Amino acid sequence: MEASLDNWSHHEQFKAMIKTFRDALQPSLTEATVKDLRNNSDDAIARWLESVDGMRFVFQGIQSRGVKAEAALGLAARPSVIGAFISGMAALALYWIAFGGLESAKPEIITNDIVDLEYGVIGALSDSLLTSDRRLKAIHHAIKRGLDGRARWFARAVERGPDAA
């Protein structure tokens, strides 16, 4: 646990990472794109990631890790952890470009963004993992229904009492 906590305590390094992504993306964005990011952030970020610019950015990011072009293209075009991570880092950078404030943001906030990004990557990739494994898909469905059902039960229990839920 101590080693894990140590890894997540380098707040200034995480902020520098997001700045690097922001600085790499910002010059290529038009004023209209930044305005779109600001007005429609979720959809606009997704549109950018789906665009040729987004594909190129993810591909080049993977390639910069020493991956050969053909493999980098596959990792960028299909579900992969590295492709999802670079996409997520780009999405964070696009968000900070749209809304500003990165320079004055507390480094701990940026660390939290990156911790949250891990969950985003896992969630984004889980869907594609589930579609290829029938048993896992059934288990996922059961877990999700169980979570939803327990939430409904709890809401009823709070409203009517546990015995009437």
Side-chain angles (χ1 to χ4, degrees):
M1 186 68 157
E2 189 176 318
S4 180
L5 290 174
D6 182 54
N7 286 333
W8 286 112
S9 66
H10 302 286
H11 306 299
E12 291 294 339
Q13 288 178 350
F14 292 123
K15 186 171 181 177
M17 286 172 53
I18 294 295
K19 285 181 177 181
T20 299
F21 273 78
R22 179 203 59 193
D23 294 347
L25 289 170
Q26 200 158 22
S28 66
L29 300 175
T30 65
E31 207 172 295
T33 300
V34 174
K35 184 177 180 182
D36 189 33
L37 289 168
R38 197 170 293 124
N39 293 331
N40 309 294
S41 61
D42 294 355
D43 291 333
I45 290 171
R47 277 193 301 276
W48 187 89
L49 286 170
E50 293 170 342
S51 74
V52 68
D53 292 328
M55 179 66 176
R56 184 181 309 116
F57 188 83
V58 172
F59 168 76
Q60 289 173 348
I62 294 169
Q63 224 181 5
S64 75
R65 303 299 302 155
V67 178
K68 293 184 180 176
E70 187 176 329
L73 185 58
L75 290 168
R78 292 187 298 272
S80 70
V81 172
I82 192 167
F85 177 75
I86 292 171
S87 294
M89 291 294 287
L92 284 172
L94 290 168
Y95 183 89
W96 284 106
I97 289 168
F99 297 103
L102 182 57
E103 296 302 328
S104 62
K106 291 182 179 178
E108 295 80 7
I109 298 293
I110 307 304
T111 298
N112 191 59
D113 285 349
I114 294 176
V115 170
D116 289 347
L117 177 59
E118 282 194 316
Y119 292 104
V121 167
I122 290 168
L125 294 175
S126 295
D127 184 52
S128 63
L129 290 172
L130 293 174
T131 59
S132 64
D133 187 316
R134 203 175 332 166
R135 183 174 34 250
L136 184 56
K137 189 173 184 176
I139 291 167
H140 174 265
H141 182 70
I143 292 168
K144 183 160 175 36
R145 282 194 57 194
L147 289 170
D148 294 343
R150 287 192 302 278
R152 286 191 302 275
W153 179 90
F154 185 75
R156 286 190 311 269
V158 168
E159 186 179 303
R160 302 181 212 157
D163 295 332

